[in-house]
Amino acid sequence: MLQILDPSGRLVGGVPDLDDKDLVEMYRLMALGRQFDRRAMNLQRQGRLGTFPPGEGQEATQIGSAYAIGPEDWIYPSYREHALQLARGMPPSVMLSYFRGMPNRDWDVHRYRMNIHTIPIATQLPHAVGHAQAARLAGENLITVVYFGDGATSESDFHSAMNFAGLWKTPTVFLCSNNGWAISMPVRNQTAAAALADKAVGYGMPGVQVDGMDVLAVYAATREAVERARSGGGPTLIEAITYRYGPHATADNPSLYRDEEEVSAWRDRDPLVRFKRFLVGEGLWSDEIDDQVKAEAAKFDEALADIETREEPPREEAVRHIYARIPRGLARQFGTAMKREGGRPSAVEPDELWRIGYDPPLRGPTSRWTMAEALNAALREVMDRYGNAVVMGEDVGKTGGVFRITEGLLDRYGPERVIDTPLCETGIAGTAVGMAIGGAIPLVEIQFDGFVYPAFDQIVSHMARFRFRTRSNVSLPIVVRWPNGGGIAPHEFHADSPEAYFVHTPGLTVVIPSTAVDAKGLLTAAAESPDPVLFLEPKVLYRAGREDVPTGYYRLPIGRARIRRPGSDVTVVTYGGMVRVALSAAEDLAAEGVDCEVIDLRTLKPWDREAVLESVARTGRLVLVQEPPKTAGMAAEVAATVAEEALYDLEAPILRVAGFDAPWPQFGVEHHAIITPQRVVSAILETLV
């Protein structure tokens, strides 16, 4: 274990190249960080802050590393790096506002070059890796440093981040504050490894163990890792052996799982006491240093008092910053709430770009393409137009993906822009978040629908929420594509339809095309969206037929349905692979004199409420068709809306034709679950009785 100062403050190693002013300033920042923690703890006990995670004891790890990081570098913290934040120039008011429970309106990620707190453990690690990779592709000479605790090393995101960083040799420094406890779980219950630093070996990077209570040793270890990363040597894992004297957070009682003897023994290694002894021995100490710290610390209370006197953000803030443009449905929800709570008018106006009318006319030369070919063309056009667009996923390079959607892109754009990733959906989605923060446009492919579940946390916790959590300070222009649904007789987990999980999530846009023309225009629009878009491609339609697709660049409006077949007797609403089933049923009924209108939603979030309501007002009947399980699906959402807003237009009950509330069957009996035109015909006829 690297050590420069022993617990008594005596030199046992070479002093790093720091001048006297730097040494004194390091102590001041450490002491200021401790004062921040103590005062914040007191303020929380007074009921003026929410739950607070103190970092007392870890100041040396934070300040030693902070001094080794350049101003151009980016930091990805967890949630107790308070001394580090002060060292990077973040005002106490910004830090305290977060723990006061107020929106992160002043936390400018780009100004401080520091990401916001990360609450799901370890999920920030792949972000740091992706950001470093995007910066390198853009020719920026910056590194990313990511902070986490010993408990985070048990998370799958730790593995994915380390593996991607080691493979890509990203300029990333992983700094683990091993304080011995993950709340009540001792580190011996986290790993069988003798040292957490030993884990680095399996990922092809150096692992360094350092005395985390020794600010000079942490500085030396971090500086070496930073220099290595900046010179192209790749990532490093630093394990700083440290301790937190206080609880995990103010809701925790550490006396339940550790004894006073242990705490007392670590108190003897106090990083501030140790470093003060060193400064005294070097003739650099002055009591004015502590006086200055006390004076600065007094301003923490003033900062909170200022926050407490601010006007509460208007209620409209609850629905702003979720998307770059407020969807009509969200604006309507808020307006209804205001009306029901006293009639106050809503100050939230929807952006009409969410519904720009019917599709623009498509002109120019065309080719007879399948949906797969149209998607490939869209990816090429996007990558031609945007040099920061990157395709990434499993087998997307030489093989062109399982369904050959990315075929030929590797030869055209090279391995830096068409990245064959490790087989790890968590890592793919997580690094995509970091790449987007770093200025790239990640075009992600998840190999199959059932494989998206491991990436759920990154998609829902981070992709969907980043704009909201940063008050629009960060946009994540990410497209996550995957082949969706059944119909091709694959093995289990290769025929799922998980769209309902994501439709439920604020901050995501969910698109499912049903034709080659739509697939190309909607994928182009998705790639140009400032918000993350999940683009689900019905695998049964990839090569189901050809149609004339414009070969030039065009976009289709996200959020706008299309009437596939006009009709007057009954409205059939569906999407994706079920569109052709509904059309087949409509044609069968046409022979019997029943005129069905078939609406293809195309976008499930935001879905085109107006198109459906207008159609139901004309036909008086509604049948909904979806392939996924019936309960809590998209059909239920549309049915509930029509029941709420157009009940008196209906002449018959709303009917749903949907998949069973059961997993998709094995491919040998897939036909037992597939929705047939006959099932749709029968439902339509029921509404006409």
Side-chain angles (χ1 to χ4, degrees), residues 371-372 375-376 378-379 391-393 396 400-407 409 428 442-449 452 459 463 478-484 511 519 523 526 533-537 542:
M371 180 184 284
L375 290 166
N376 180 271
L379 290 172
V391 167
M392 56 190 297
V396 298
V402 171
F403 291 96
R404 306 296 183 263
I405 306 302
T406 60
E407 191 170 31
L409 299 184
I428 295 169
L443 306 172
V444 174
E445 179 176 301
I446 302 295
Q447 198 167 80
F448 275 95
D449 32 36
V452 76
I459 293 173
M463 284 189 198
I478 303 170
V479 178
V480 183
R481 303 174 32 254
W482 66 77
N484 201 68
V511 176
L523 182 54
V533 178
L534 306 186
F535 199 89
L536 285 58
E537 302 159 3
Y542 272 145

Short mmCIF file of all heavy atoms in Angstrom, two decimals, residues 371-372 375-376 378-379 391-393 396 400-407 409 428 442-449 452 459 463 478-484 511 519 523 526 533-537 542:
data_model
loop_
_atom_site.label_atom_id
_atom_site.label_comp_id
_atom_site.label_asym_id
_atom_site.label_seq_id
_atom_site.Cartn_x
_atom_site.Cartn_y
_atom_site.Cartn_z
N MET A 371 -37.88 -3.42 -45.00
CA MET A 371 -37.68 -2.59 -43.82
C MET A 371 -36.22 -2.65 -43.36
O MET A 371 -35.64 -1.63 -42.96
CB MET A 371 -38.60 -3.02 -42.68
CG MET A 371 -38.42 -2.18 -41.42
SD MET A 371 -39.41 -2.73 -40.00
CE MET A 371 -41.03 -2.13 -40.48
N ALA A 372 -35.61 -3.82 -43.42
CA ALA A 372 -34.21 -3.95 -43.01
C ALA A 372 -33.31 -3.05 -43.85
O ALA A 372 -32.42 -2.37 -43.33
CB ALA A 372 -33.77 -5.40 -43.12
N LEU A 375 -33.86 0.66 -42.91
CA LEU A 375 -33.19 1.00 -41.66
C LEU A 375 -31.70 1.18 -41.87
O LEU A 375 -31.07 2.10 -41.32
CB LEU A 375 -33.46 -0.08 -40.61
CG LEU A 375 -34.89 -0.16 -40.07
CD1 LEU A 375 -35.12 -1.47 -39.33
CD2 LEU A 375 -35.20 1.03 -39.17
N ASN A 376 -31.11 0.31 -42.64
CA ASN A 376 -29.68 0.42 -42.95
C ASN A 376 -29.39 1.74 -43.66
O ASN A 376 -28.40 2.43 -43.35
CB ASN A 376 -29.25 -0.77 -43.81
CG ASN A 376 -27.78 -0.73 -44.16
OD1 ASN A 376 -27.38 -0.14 -45.17
ND2 ASN A 376 -26.96 -1.34 -43.33
N ALA A 378 -31.12 4.49 -43.43
CA ALA A 378 -31.28 5.59 -42.48
C ALA A 378 -30.04 5.75 -41.62
O ALA A 378 -29.57 6.88 -41.36
CB ALA A 378 -32.50 5.34 -41.60
N LEU A 379 -29.48 4.64 -41.15
CA LEU A 379 -28.26 4.72 -40.34
C LEU A 379 -27.12 5.33 -41.14
O LEU A 379 -26.35 6.16 -40.62
CB LEU A 379 -27.88 3.32 -39.84
CG LEU A 379 -28.81 2.71 -38.78
CD1 LEU A 379 -28.43 1.26 -38.52
CD2 LEU A 379 -28.75 3.51 -37.49
N VAL A 391 -22.41 4.01 -34.04
CA VAL A 391 -23.19 2.78 -33.91
C VAL A 391 -22.46 1.86 -32.95
O VAL A 391 -21.24 1.68 -33.04
CB VAL A 391 -23.38 2.10 -35.28
CG1 VAL A 391 -23.89 0.68 -35.10
CG2 VAL A 391 -24.34 2.89 -36.14
N MET A 392 -23.18 1.29 -32.00
CA MET A 392 -22.53 0.40 -31.03
C MET A 392 -23.48 -0.70 -30.61
O MET A 392 -24.70 -0.51 -30.56
CB MET A 392 -22.05 1.19 -29.81
CG MET A 392 -23.13 1.98 -29.10
SD MET A 392 -22.47 3.11 -27.85
CE MET A 392 -21.74 1.97 -26.69
N GLY A 393 -22.93 -1.87 -30.35
CA GLY A 393 -23.72 -3.01 -29.93
C GLY A 393 -22.97 -4.29 -30.19
O GLY A 393 -21.84 -4.30 -30.69
N VAL A 396 -22.33 -5.76 -34.30
CA VAL A 396 -22.81 -4.80 -35.28
C VAL A 396 -21.78 -4.49 -36.35
O VAL A 396 -22.08 -3.83 -37.34
CB VAL A 396 -23.24 -3.47 -34.60
CG1 VAL A 396 -24.38 -3.71 -33.65
CG2 VAL A 396 -22.05 -2.81 -33.89
N GLY A 400 -22.61 -7.25 -39.22
CA GLY A 400 -23.72 -6.35 -39.52
C GLY A 400 -24.94 -6.57 -38.66
O GLY A 400 -26.06 -6.18 -39.04
N GLY A 401 -24.75 -7.19 -37.50
CA GLY A 401 -25.88 -7.47 -36.62
C GLY A 401 -26.56 -8.76 -36.99
O GLY A 401 -26.43 -9.26 -38.11
N VAL A 402 -27.29 -9.33 -36.06
CA VAL A 402 -27.96 -10.60 -36.29
C VAL A 402 -28.91 -10.52 -37.48
O VAL A 402 -29.04 -11.47 -38.26
CB VAL A 402 -28.73 -11.03 -35.01
CG1 VAL A 402 -29.62 -12.23 -35.30
CG2 VAL A 402 -27.75 -11.36 -33.89
N PHE A 403 -29.58 -9.38 -37.64
CA PHE A 403 -30.51 -9.20 -38.75
C PHE A 403 -29.93 -8.35 -39.87
O PHE A 403 -30.65 -7.90 -40.76
CB PHE A 403 -31.82 -8.58 -38.23
CG PHE A 403 -32.61 -9.51 -37.35
CD1 PHE A 403 -32.48 -9.45 -35.98
CD2 PHE A 403 -33.45 -10.46 -37.90
CE1 PHE A 403 -33.19 -10.31 -35.15
CE2 PHE A 403 -34.17 -11.34 -37.09
CZ PHE A 403 -34.04 -11.26 -35.71
N ARG A 404 -28.64 -8.11 -39.81
CA ARG A 404 -27.88 -7.40 -40.87
C ARG A 404 -28.35 -5.95 -41.06
O ARG A 404 -28.21 -5.40 -42.15
CB ARG A 404 -27.98 -8.15 -42.21
CG ARG A 404 -27.57 -9.61 -42.14
CD ARG A 404 -26.10 -9.79 -41.77
NE ARG A 404 -25.70 -11.19 -41.78
CZ ARG A 404 -25.63 -11.96 -40.69
NH1 ARG A 404 -25.95 -11.46 -39.50
NH2 ARG A 404 -25.25 -13.21 -40.77
N ILE A 405 -28.86 -5.34 -40.01
CA ILE A 405 -29.31 -3.95 -40.13
C ILE A 405 -28.12 -3.00 -40.24
O ILE A 405 -28.22 -1.95 -40.89
CB ILE A 405 -30.20 -3.56 -38.92
CG1 ILE A 405 -31.35 -4.56 -38.76
CG2 ILE A 405 -30.74 -2.14 -39.09
CD1 ILE A 405 -32.23 -4.70 -39.96
N THR A 406 -27.00 -3.36 -39.64
CA THR A 406 -25.81 -2.49 -39.70
C THR A 406 -24.79 -2.99 -40.73
O THR A 406 -23.63 -2.58 -40.70
CB THR A 406 -25.15 -2.40 -38.31
OG1 THR A 406 -24.75 -3.72 -37.89
CG2 THR A 406 -26.10 -1.80 -37.30
N GLU A 407 -25.23 -3.80 -41.64
CA GLU A 407 -24.32 -4.38 -42.65
C GLU A 407 -23.64 -3.29 -43.47
O GLU A 407 -24.28 -2.33 -43.93
CB GLU A 407 -25.11 -5.30 -43.57
CG GLU A 407 -24.24 -6.15 -44.48
CD GLU A 407 -25.06 -7.21 -45.20
OE1 GLU A 407 -26.26 -6.96 -45.47
OE2 GLU A 407 -24.51 -8.28 -45.48
N LEU A 409 -21.64 -0.96 -42.57
CA LEU A 409 -21.29 0.29 -41.88
C LEU A 409 -19.85 0.28 -41.38
O LEU A 409 -19.18 1.33 -41.37
CB LEU A 409 -22.25 0.53 -40.71
CG LEU A 409 -23.74 0.68 -41.06
CD1 LEU A 409 -24.54 1.02 -39.79
CD2 LEU A 409 -23.95 1.75 -42.12
N ILE A 428 -23.32 -1.52 -22.51
CA ILE A 428 -23.66 -0.85 -23.76
C ILE A 428 -24.51 0.38 -23.47
O ILE A 428 -24.22 1.49 -23.94
CB ILE A 428 -24.40 -1.81 -24.72
CG1 ILE A 428 -23.49 -2.96 -25.15
CG2 ILE A 428 -24.91 -1.06 -25.94
CD1 ILE A 428 -24.21 -4.08 -25.87
N PRO A 442 -25.04 8.36 -29.76
CA PRO A 442 -24.96 6.90 -29.80
C PRO A 442 -26.20 6.28 -30.44
O PRO A 442 -27.33 6.60 -30.07
CB PRO A 442 -24.85 6.50 -28.32
CG PRO A 442 -24.54 7.77 -27.58
CD PRO A 442 -25.18 8.86 -28.38
N LEU A 443 -25.98 5.42 -31.40
CA LEU A 443 -27.04 4.65 -32.05
C LEU A 443 -26.83 3.20 -31.61
O LEU A 443 -26.02 2.48 -32.17
CB LEU A 443 -26.96 4.79 -33.57
CG LEU A 443 -26.95 6.24 -34.10
CD1 LEU A 443 -26.67 6.26 -35.60
CD2 LEU A 443 -28.27 6.94 -33.79
N VAL A 444 -27.55 2.82 -30.57
CA VAL A 444 -27.30 1.56 -29.87
C VAL A 444 -28.18 0.46 -30.43
O VAL A 444 -29.37 0.67 -30.67
CB VAL A 444 -27.58 1.74 -28.36
CG1 VAL A 444 -27.47 0.41 -27.63
CG2 VAL A 444 -26.63 2.77 -27.77
N GLU A 445 -27.59 -0.71 -30.59
CA GLU A 445 -28.38 -1.88 -30.97
C GLU A 445 -28.34 -2.90 -29.84
O GLU A 445 -27.26 -3.31 -29.42
CB GLU A 445 -27.87 -2.52 -32.26
CG GLU A 445 -28.68 -3.76 -32.65
CD GLU A 445 -28.26 -4.36 -33.98
OE1 GLU A 445 -28.33 -3.64 -35.00
OE2 GLU A 445 -27.87 -5.55 -34.00
N ILE A 446 -29.51 -3.27 -29.34
CA ILE A 446 -29.64 -4.40 -28.42
C ILE A 446 -30.03 -5.59 -29.29
O ILE A 446 -30.98 -5.52 -30.08
CB ILE A 446 -30.71 -4.15 -27.35
CG1 ILE A 446 -30.37 -2.89 -26.53
CG2 ILE A 446 -30.85 -5.36 -26.44
CD1 ILE A 446 -29.12 -2.97 -25.70
N GLN A 447 -29.32 -6.68 -29.15
CA GLN A 447 -29.42 -7.75 -30.14
C GLN A 447 -30.82 -8.35 -30.26
O GLN A 447 -31.29 -8.63 -31.36
CB GLN A 447 -28.40 -8.83 -29.81
CG GLN A 447 -28.11 -9.76 -30.96
CD GLN A 447 -26.89 -10.61 -30.67
OE1 GLN A 447 -26.98 -11.60 -29.95
NE2 GLN A 447 -25.75 -10.22 -31.23
N PHE A 448 -31.48 -8.54 -29.13
CA PHE A 448 -32.85 -9.06 -29.14
C PHE A 448 -33.65 -8.39 -28.04
O PHE A 448 -33.10 -7.89 -27.05
CB PHE A 448 -32.87 -10.59 -28.94
CG PHE A 448 -32.68 -11.38 -30.19
CD1 PHE A 448 -31.42 -11.84 -30.54
CD2 PHE A 448 -33.74 -11.65 -31.05
CE1 PHE A 448 -31.22 -12.57 -31.70
CE2 PHE A 448 -33.55 -12.38 -32.21
CZ PHE A 448 -32.30 -12.83 -32.54
N ASP A 449 -34.96 -8.40 -28.22
CA ASP A 449 -35.87 -7.76 -27.27
C ASP A 449 -35.70 -8.25 -25.85
O ASP A 449 -35.66 -7.47 -24.90
CB ASP A 449 -37.32 -7.96 -27.73
CG ASP A 449 -37.52 -9.29 -28.45
OD1 ASP A 449 -36.89 -10.29 -28.06
OD2 ASP A 449 -38.30 -9.33 -29.43
N VAL A 452 -32.88 -6.78 -23.47
CA VAL A 452 -32.85 -5.39 -23.01
C VAL A 452 -33.02 -5.29 -21.50
O VAL A 452 -32.67 -4.27 -20.90
CB VAL A 452 -33.94 -4.56 -23.73
CG1 VAL A 452 -35.33 -4.85 -23.16
CG2 VAL A 452 -33.63 -3.07 -23.62
N ILE A 459 -31.38 2.53 -18.71
CA ILE A 459 -32.36 3.22 -19.55
C ILE A 459 -33.34 4.03 -18.71
O ILE A 459 -33.61 5.20 -18.98
CB ILE A 459 -33.11 2.21 -20.44
CG1 ILE A 459 -32.14 1.58 -21.46
CG2 ILE A 459 -34.27 2.88 -21.16
CD1 ILE A 459 -32.75 0.44 -22.27
N MET A 463 -30.93 7.34 -18.71
CA MET A 463 -31.34 7.91 -20.00
C MET A 463 -32.61 8.73 -19.85
O MET A 463 -32.70 9.88 -20.32
CB MET A 463 -31.59 6.80 -21.03
CG MET A 463 -30.35 6.19 -21.60
SD MET A 463 -30.78 5.09 -22.97
CE MET A 463 -29.26 4.14 -23.09
N ILE A 478 -29.83 9.82 -27.65
CA ILE A 478 -29.49 8.41 -27.80
C ILE A 478 -30.65 7.69 -28.48
O ILE A 478 -31.81 7.93 -28.16
CB ILE A 478 -29.22 7.75 -26.43
CG1 ILE A 478 -28.10 8.47 -25.68
CG2 ILE A 478 -28.88 6.27 -26.59
CD1 ILE A 478 -27.96 8.01 -24.24
N VAL A 479 -30.33 6.80 -29.41
CA VAL A 479 -31.32 5.90 -29.97
C VAL A 479 -30.94 4.48 -29.55
O VAL A 479 -29.80 4.06 -29.75
CB VAL A 479 -31.39 5.98 -31.51
CG1 VAL A 479 -32.42 4.98 -32.05
CG2 VAL A 479 -31.73 7.39 -31.96
N VAL A 480 -31.88 3.79 -28.94
CA VAL A 480 -31.67 2.39 -28.58
C VAL A 480 -32.63 1.55 -29.43
O VAL A 480 -33.84 1.65 -29.29
CB VAL A 480 -31.93 2.13 -27.08
CG1 VAL A 480 -31.64 0.67 -26.75
CG2 VAL A 480 -31.07 3.05 -26.22
N ARG A 481 -32.06 0.77 -30.33
CA ARG A 481 -32.85 -0.05 -31.26
C ARG A 481 -32.81 -1.50 -30.82
O ARG A 481 -31.82 -1.97 -30.29
CB ARG A 481 -32.27 0.01 -32.68
CG ARG A 481 -32.12 1.34 -33.33
CD ARG A 481 -31.40 1.20 -34.68
NE ARG A 481 -31.67 -0.05 -35.35
CZ ARG A 481 -30.80 -1.07 -35.44
NH1 ARG A 481 -29.58 -0.97 -34.93
NH2 ARG A 481 -31.13 -2.19 -36.05
N TRP A 482 -33.92 -2.22 -31.07
CA TRP A 482 -33.85 -3.66 -30.93
C TRP A 482 -34.96 -4.31 -31.75
O TRP A 482 -36.02 -3.72 -31.96
CB TRP A 482 -33.93 -4.11 -29.48
CG TRP A 482 -35.19 -3.87 -28.73
CD1 TRP A 482 -36.36 -4.58 -28.80
CD2 TRP A 482 -35.42 -2.87 -27.73
NE1 TRP A 482 -37.29 -4.08 -27.92
CE2 TRP A 482 -36.74 -3.04 -27.24
CE3 TRP A 482 -34.63 -1.86 -27.18
CZ2 TRP A 482 -37.28 -2.23 -26.26
CZ3 TRP A 482 -35.17 -1.05 -26.20
CH2 TRP A 482 -36.47 -1.24 -25.74
N PRO A 483 -34.73 -5.54 -32.24
CA PRO A 483 -35.78 -6.30 -32.93
C PRO A 483 -36.82 -6.74 -31.91
O PRO A 483 -36.48 -7.27 -30.84
CB PRO A 483 -35.03 -7.50 -33.53
CG PRO A 483 -33.79 -7.62 -32.70
CD PRO A 483 -33.44 -6.26 -32.22
N ASN A 484 -38.09 -6.55 -32.22
CA ASN A 484 -39.14 -6.68 -31.23
C ASN A 484 -40.22 -7.67 -31.66
O ASN A 484 -40.56 -7.75 -32.84
CB ASN A 484 -39.79 -5.31 -30.99
CG ASN A 484 -40.53 -5.21 -29.68
OD1 ASN A 484 -39.90 -5.23 -28.62
ND2 ASN A 484 -41.85 -5.10 -29.72
N VAL A 511 -40.89 4.36 -30.19
CA VAL A 511 -41.34 4.33 -31.59
C VAL A 511 -41.34 2.89 -32.10
O VAL A 511 -40.40 2.14 -31.82
CB VAL A 511 -40.41 5.21 -32.47
CG1 VAL A 511 -40.82 5.11 -33.94
CG2 VAL A 511 -40.43 6.65 -32.00
N ALA A 519 -40.09 3.31 -41.27
CA ALA A 519 -38.89 2.93 -40.53
C ALA A 519 -37.74 3.88 -40.84
O ALA A 519 -37.03 4.34 -39.93
CB ALA A 519 -38.50 1.49 -40.86
N LEU A 523 -36.61 6.61 -38.00
CA LEU A 523 -35.28 6.41 -37.42
C LEU A 523 -34.43 7.66 -37.60
O LEU A 523 -33.66 8.04 -36.70
CB LEU A 523 -34.60 5.19 -38.05
CG LEU A 523 -33.21 4.85 -37.50
CD1 LEU A 523 -33.24 4.68 -35.99
CD2 LEU A 523 -32.66 3.59 -38.16
N ALA A 526 -35.61 10.02 -34.98
CA ALA A 526 -35.15 9.58 -33.66
C ALA A 526 -33.70 9.99 -33.43
O ALA A 526 -33.32 10.44 -32.34
CB ALA A 526 -35.31 8.07 -33.53
N VAL A 533 -34.55 7.96 -27.51
CA VAL A 533 -35.64 7.30 -28.22
C VAL A 533 -35.38 5.80 -28.24
O VAL A 533 -34.30 5.36 -28.61
CB VAL A 533 -35.77 7.82 -29.67
CG1 VAL A 533 -36.88 7.08 -30.41
CG2 VAL A 533 -36.02 9.32 -29.69
N LEU A 534 -36.38 5.04 -27.83
CA LEU A 534 -36.33 3.59 -27.98
C LEU A 534 -37.03 3.24 -29.28
O LEU A 534 -38.20 3.59 -29.47
CB LEU A 534 -37.00 2.90 -26.80
CG LEU A 534 -36.50 3.30 -25.40
CD1 LEU A 534 -37.15 2.42 -24.34
CD2 LEU A 534 -34.98 3.22 -25.31
N PHE A 535 -36.32 2.57 -30.16
CA PHE A 535 -36.81 2.31 -31.51
C PHE A 535 -36.96 0.80 -31.67
O PHE A 535 -35.98 0.07 -31.83
CB PHE A 535 -35.82 2.88 -32.54
CG PHE A 535 -36.39 3.07 -33.91
CD1 PHE A 535 -37.02 4.26 -34.26
CD2 PHE A 535 -36.31 2.06 -34.86
CE1 PHE A 535 -37.55 4.44 -35.52
CE2 PHE A 535 -36.84 2.23 -36.13
CZ PHE A 535 -37.47 3.43 -36.46
N LEU A 536 -38.20 0.34 -31.58
CA LEU A 536 -38.49 -1.09 -31.60
C LEU A 536 -38.88 -1.51 -33.01
O LEU A 536 -39.82 -0.96 -33.60
CB LEU A 536 -39.61 -1.41 -30.61
CG LEU A 536 -39.25 -1.41 -29.12
CD1 LEU A 536 -38.69 -0.08 -28.65
CD2 LEU A 536 -40.46 -1.79 -28.28
N GLU A 537 -38.17 -2.49 -33.53
CA GLU A 537 -38.34 -2.91 -34.92
C GLU A 537 -38.98 -4.29 -34.98
O GLU A 537 -38.38 -5.28 -34.54
CB GLU A 537 -36.97 -2.93 -35.62
CG GLU A 537 -36.28 -1.57 -35.57
CD GLU A 537 -34.78 -1.64 -35.78
OE1 GLU A 537 -34.24 -2.75 -36.02
OE2 GLU A 537 -34.13 -0.58 -35.70
N TYR A 542 -39.07 -7.32 -40.94
CA TYR A 542 -37.78 -6.92 -41.51
C TYR A 542 -37.70 -7.21 -43.01
O TYR A 542 -37.24 -6.39 -43.80
CB TYR A 542 -36.64 -7.67 -40.82
CG TYR A 542 -36.10 -7.00 -39.57
CD1 TYR A 542 -35.66 -7.76 -38.50
CD2 TYR A 542 -35.99 -5.61 -39.48
CE1 TYR A 542 -35.14 -7.17 -37.35
CE2 TYR A 542 -35.47 -5.01 -38.34
CZ TYR A 542 -35.05 -5.79 -37.28
OH TYR A 542 -34.53 -5.20 -36.15
#
